[in-house]
Amino acid sequence: MFRTKIKLKNVFVVYFLVSILGLMYALMQLGQPCDCTQHLKSASELVHVKDKKISQLQAESKSLQSELKKLQDKVTAEETRSQTLPTIYAITPTYARLVQKAELIRLSHTFLHIKNFHWIVVEDSSVKTQLVADLLAESGLKYTHLNVETLKEYKLKENDPSWLKPRGVEQRNLGIQWLRQNRELYDEGVVYFADDDNTYSFKLFDEMRNTKRVSVWPVGLVGGLRFERPLAENGKVVGFYSAWKPNRPFPMDMAGFAVNLQLLLANKDAKFDLKAERGYVESSLLQSLVSIEELEPKADNCTKVLVWHTRTEKPKMKQEDLLQKQGIGSDINIEV
Amino acid sequence: MTSSKKKAKELVLLNVYTMPRRWKVLTTLLIALPWAILLTIWHQHLATHYLTFLKKETDENATNKSVILSITQTKEESLPCISLQANPAVQQYKEKYVYTRPPPWSETLPTIFVITPTYTRSVQKAELTRLANTFLHIQNLHWIIVEDSPRKTNLVAKLLDSSGLSFTHLNIQSPKTIRQGSKAPRGTLQRNQGLQWLRQQYNSNSVEGVVYFADDDNTYSLEVFDELRYTKKVSVWPVAFVGGLRYEAPKLSTTGRVVGWKTVFDPKRPFAVDMAGFAVNIQLILQKPNAIFRLEGVKGGYQETSLLKDLVIMEELEPKAANCTKKSPNTSFLKYVIL
């Protein structure tokens, strides 16, 4: 019994000693316990830093929110402003030919830059073609698709020069008629006759936007000249610079003027004359709407050219014609 | 003797047994104490680890802060972005974009470098204007205009400045023989000048993009730029109104590889494709600095081949536009006609 007692006591003593030794060893491993205060200090510092950061981020998010609100206000202001901008209606007569799709696509790229724009495309055709319908649907523009076929006696034949008969007259008139049927006298707008082979700078449409009656501006590459233009003094048109048939009542090209929508609607009989002599088509409309004194000169007193009367050459199809004669023409399903 | 020893032993025993409580308490304390101390030490150890971890975290957060600052600095560009974050429908965002000319530059889209040679003539301004009108719809487009002229003209300079596009304006004059001769290939020196500028401006690591040669009298759809943007080497597609046909197109095998050319004019050319019918990844241009358009000894219609043969072989061509069934850009010949 004694031995076991002694053993137990010894065991206790040994255990106590061992645990104390182990503790000392662990202390050595972990470093001085006095560092506690240092750790506490750095901990509190970190907490401070984090707090500071949080408040900074809050301030930033507040300023970003106010920025956001400001920009949102700007956007809604723009929206309301653009909603009150008069709509520009561009009436474009078009007819089926090889380059038709290319021309219309090119036009649509320009028109996509214009706010409050409505494209009225009138095909010279007895039916609305798939090509134009698809093109308009994919363009992203607001549009109206119409069609009317030119009367036979006024149609150009294959090899006629393009100037032999007036082109697009009935189509433009249909466009005007659509506006008369679908717009009211209180609607604000400007009507522009945009042929599909011309080139337009989108700045032109800013100029014509506030037309009160009929506004005019220079047109480049027309009438055998570098440009034709109205001559303006003190904000009024006093004459015209033009070399080809300068004695016309309005010696201008179709691309050189725009008409206020309300003026057009108020004059129910104003339209283009199919029987007008070459070069007098524009005058046939404008005569019934306005006098020279009432014209509004735009584009820096008619000194800047913002539209060009370009024409597109017919592509050479010699090889195509040869292949077609052999019966192996190109795939018709691929639309060009 | 033994009895005293025995008595001593008994006494010790008694001692042990008579003061059991005190001893018990003491022994339990002695057992528990070291463990308690150990535990506290360990807890503190863990705490120090956590503190060092926190310290590391704060360093990372410092970099995040600088990112936030840079975002606020770009707020001018972000009008369309902010309207998106303000939770409108995606449709609304598209309408807003229409009037932003051009769409904001994206850091992730490959750049399309368009090289356009141009020369002075009466329709030049009209052509460049309508080309700019189209390009303003394309994101990440950089227009490299090279004039055929001894000096940069005011007309082109002003047009580029007011367009809003990202551009580079270069010029190099073609020798007289080319300018006056109508059969000589036009724009070769200018296109090479554009390539040279790209090679001087960028090295292989710094840019992701595609090079397209867009003449100023063609018409381009917007889709063609979507198609060519991700060209890996050289991509090809149909072109309308060229070579006397409604369109020319690459001929594809059943597996979708280019095996020939559907043209009438010399279809045996190695690359019977119009200038507007292919695009090259800029890495290829940079990796092969000797690939240029050849002027000397190049037959009519072989311009494109003179460049492409140094860049790629037919098997590597990537057909676009729905396996070359959709025609993308057109070549319209523009001529000024007196009314």
Side-chain angles (χ1 to χ4, degrees):
Chain A
M1 251 167 93
F2 199 73
R3 226 180 254 150
T4 49
K5 262 184 237 154
I6 287 177
K7 268 200 188 154
L8 209 61
K9 209 178 183 184
N10 278 350
V11 165
F12 273 125
V13 168
V14 166
Y15 162 75
F16 181 61
L17 281 172
V18 165
S19 52
I20 289 290
L21 281 170
L23 218 74
M24 303 285 274
Y25 179 70
L27 278 171
M28 299 300 192
Q29 284 286 314
L30 299 172
Q32 284 86 23
C34 289
D35 276 346
C36 253
T37 48
Q38 263 188 32
H39 284 301
L40 277 173
K41 243 194 198 166
S42 53
S44 65
E45 259 174 40
L46 279 168
V47 166
H48 277 307
V49 167
K50 277 217 171 282
D51 271 331
K52 233 197 251 171
K53 193 166 289 165
I54 287 175
S55 53
Q56 255 173 352
L57 284 173
Q58 275 179 339
E60 261 178 38
S61 101
K62 250 195 194 142
S63 69
L64 278 174
Q65 272 180 353
S66 64
E67 284 279 348
L68 181 65
K69 185 145 196 321
K70 255 191 253 166
L71 285 165
Q72 271 180 327
D73 288 337
K74 220 199 257 180
V75 160
T76 47
E78 279 270 342
E79 262 190 315
T80 46
R81 207 159 22 101
S82 65
Q83 271 163 15
T84 57
L85 277 179
T87 306
I88 295 181
Y89 298 91
I91 299 181
T92 300
T94 183
Y95 65 103
R97 66 236 195 245
L98 284 167
V99 296
Q100 180 187 37
K101 189 174 180 188
E103 302 280 45
L104 292 176
I105 284 185
R106 210 159 33 180
L107 263 189
S108 72
H109 292 168
T110 303
F111 292 159
L112 275 170
H113 291 295
I114 306 167
K115 295 187 181 76
N116 281 29
F117 181 82
H118 188 124
W119 199 12
I120 301 174
V121 178
V122 194
E123 291 197 72
D124 184 352
S125 156
S126 51
V127 296
K128 292 187 179 46
T129 59
Q130 196 66 32
L131 188 147
V132 176
D134 289 342
L135 194 150
L136 289 174
E138 288 169 358
S139 64
L141 292 164
K142 210 155 91 174
Y143 68 91
T144 298
H145 187 185
L146 306 169
N147 66 296
V148 63
E149 199 172 7
T150 311
L151 295 171
K152 251 207 171 129
E153 55 263 29
Y154 292 102
K155 261 201 183 166
L156 282 174
K157 291 193 204 56
E158 182 66 31
N159 293 318
D160 280 343
S162 62
W163 44 260
L164 195 61
K165 298 190 178 104
R167 279 215 300 218
V169 175
E170 282 163 272
Q171 285 74 33
R172 292 188 194 97
N173 285 340
L174 184 66
I176 297 176
Q177 191 190 350
W178 184 90
L179 283 170
R180 290 202 170 112
Q181 288 166 348
N182 292 281
R183 290 290 176 272
E184 307 295 328
L185 265 177
Y186 55 74
D187 284 321
E188 278 187 4
V190 179
V191 183
Y192 183 52
F193 299 96
D195 288 348
D196 62 4
D197 52 5
N198 291 344
T199 305
Y200 308 91
S201 156
F202 47 71
K203 301 187 186 102
L204 174 71
F205 299 90
D206 292 331
E207 296 281 327
M208 71 169 77
R209 180 90 62 177
N210 53 7
T211 302
K212 302 209 181 30
R213 303 177 87 104
V214 174
S215 54
V216 290
W217 48 78
V219 177
L221 312 176
V222 71
L225 299 170
R226 278 177 70 233
F227 58 83
E228 269 183 355
R229 71 181 186 103
L231 300 164
E233 263 173 43
N234 298 329
K236 285 210 170 288
V237 173
V238 296
F240 292 91
Y241 170 69
S242 154
W244 182 76
K245 294 193 180 173
N247 295 321
R248 296 174 274 167
F250 292 91
M252 291 193 296
D253 182 77
M254 194 68 68
F257 67 92
V259 185
N260 184 300
L261 175 69
Q262 290 161 341
L263 186 66
L264 202 56
L265 296 177
N267 289 299
K268 294 201 185 64
D269 298 321
K271 62 180 187 169
F272 291 103
D273 186 1
L274 197 51
K275 298 191 183 62
E277 196 192 316
R278 207 179 128 207
Y280 283 76
V281 176
E282 295 86 359
S283 308
S284 68
L285 174 76
L286 293 172
Q287 270 167 167
S288 48
L289 289 175
V290 80
S291 64
I292 291 193
E293 294 78 40
E294 295 169 321
L295 291 174
E296 300 151 52
K298 301 286 177 186
D300 248 357
N301 253 353
C302 292
T303 54
K304 283 214 222 131
V305 175
L306 298 170
V307 58
W308 297 263
H309 189 263
T310 46
R311 313 284 258 107
T312 303
E313 185 186 278
K314 202 171 143 182
K316 299 184 177 64
M317 291 283 115
K318 199 169 89 168
Q319 305 302 332
E320 183 76 31
D321 295 337
L322 283 174
L323 287 178
Q324 295 225 347
K325 284 207 182 102
Q326 296 168 29
I328 42 169
S330 60
D331 188 352
I332 291 297
N333 289 325
I334 299 186
E335 196 180 71
V336 295
Chain B
M1 282 285 228
T2 48
S3 61
S4 58
K5 261 196 191 167
K6 237 189 183 175
K7 251 197 176 170
K9 274 184 211 165
E10 272 178 17
L11 266 171
V12 171
L13 256 175
L14 263 169
N15 273 340
V16 172
Y17 280 121
T18 43
M19 303 193 193
R21 229 176 272 156
R22 228 196 289 168
W23 271 110
K24 271 188 186 162
V25 170
L26 212 64
T27 42
T28 25
L29 262 175
L30 285 175
I31 292 170
L33 190 68
W35 294 110
I37 297 177
L38 198 69
L39 277 171
T40 36
I41 300 290
W42 273 118
H43 179 71
Q44 279 208 0
H45 180 61
L46 281 174
T48 53
H49 265 211
Y50 178 66
L51 285 172
T52 49
F53 174 74
L54 273 180
K55 276 214 184 105
K56 277 195 203 149
E57 212 185 66
T58 52
D59 288 336
E60 289 166 18
N61 283 344
T63 51
N64 286 345
K65 198 169 164 204
S66 57
V67 168
I68 293 174
L69 280 172
S70 61
I71 288 177
T72 51
Q73 278 157 17
T74 58
K75 57 182 180 254
E76 280 95 42
E77 307 238 272
S78 58
L79 176 55
C81 292
I82 287 194
S83 58
L84 186 68
Q85 288 163 17
N87 193 26
V90 177
Q91 183 63 35
Q92 209 172 344
Y93 174 65
K94 203 171 175 184
E95 284 170 18
K96 299 273 184 303
Y97 143 71
V98 162
Y99 308 125
T100 319
R101 313 193 264 259
W105 199 272
S106 151
E107 295 298 324
T108 50
L109 280 182
T111 306
I112 299 182
F113 296 95
V114 177
I115 299 183
T116 300
T118 184
Y119 64 102
T120 304
R121 71 253 197 224
S122 51
V123 296
Q124 182 189 35
K125 190 172 181 191
E127 299 281 40
L128 293 178
T129 301
R130 65 181 164 189
L131 209 55
N133 287 346
T134 298
F135 289 162
L136 282 165
H137 293 293
I138 314 290
Q139 198 168 9
N140 282 38
L141 184 143
H142 186 87
W143 199 9
I144 302 169
I145 275 207
V146 195
E147 291 196 72
D148 184 350
S149 143
R151 267 171 296 283
K152 294 183 180 36
T153 60
N154 254 343
L155 185 145
V156 175
K158 278 202 291 187
L159 192 146
L160 289 174
D161 264 331
S162 60
S163 67
L165 287 165
S166 168
F167 70 89
T168 296
H169 187 183
L170 306 169
N171 68 294
I172 181 170
Q173 187 167 46
S174 301
K176 252 197 178 142
T177 46
I178 295 179
R179 268 182 287 142
Q180 286 166 358
S182 55
K183 298 232 169 148
R186 277 238 286 255
T188 311
L189 284 179
Q190 287 72 33
R191 292 187 193 98
N192 285 340
Q193 180 83 339
L195 288 175
Q196 190 191 5
W197 181 86
L198 282 172
R199 287 173 174 138
Q200 283 166 351
Q201 196 70 14
Y202 298 101
N203 61 39
S204 278
N205 304 323
S206 65
V207 69
E208 221 184 272
V210 184
V211 181
Y212 184 47
F213 299 96
D215 289 347
D216 62 4
D217 54 3
N218 291 346
T219 305
Y220 304 90
S221 68
L222 299 179
E223 288 85 27
V224 73
F225 297 97
D226 292 330
E227 299 266 340
L228 63 84
R229 197 189 288 276
Y230 298 99
T231 301
K232 295 193 198 59
K233 292 196 157 183
V234 174
S235 54
V236 288
W237 52 80
V239 179
F241 309 138
V242 71
L245 294 172
R246 273 175 81 232
Y247 63 87
E248 276 184 354
K251 204 188 296 184
L252 301 182
S253 69
T254 43
T255 53
R257 296 204 151 263
V258 178
V259 295
W261 310 96
K262 285 196 241 178
T263 77
V264 167
F265 173 63
D266 204 348
K268 299 285 184 223
R269 288 174 278 167
F271 296 94
V273 64
D274 182 75
M275 194 66 70
F278 70 92
V280 186
N281 189 309
I282 195 173
Q283 297 292 330
L284 217 53
I285 301 280
L286 298 173
Q287 283 159 12
K288 314 224 168 144
N290 296 323
I292 57 169
F293 290 101
R294 309 273 165 207
L295 198 51
E296 315 292 325
V298 170
K299 272 203 294 180
Y302 279 76
Q303 269 280 289
E304 297 83 2
T305 305
S306 71
L307 174 77
L308 290 173
K309 68 171 167 48
D310 290 331
L311 290 174
V312 81
I313 52 172
M314 200 190 272
E315 286 72 32
E316 295 172 322
L317 292 174
E318 301 152 51
K320 299 281 180 190
N323 263 349
C324 294
T325 54
K326 276 200 278 179
K327 166 222 51 62
S328 288
N330 306 9
T331 306
S332 315
F333 297 97
L334 193 75
K335 204 168 82 171
Y336 160 57
V337 166
I338 299 175
L339 188 69

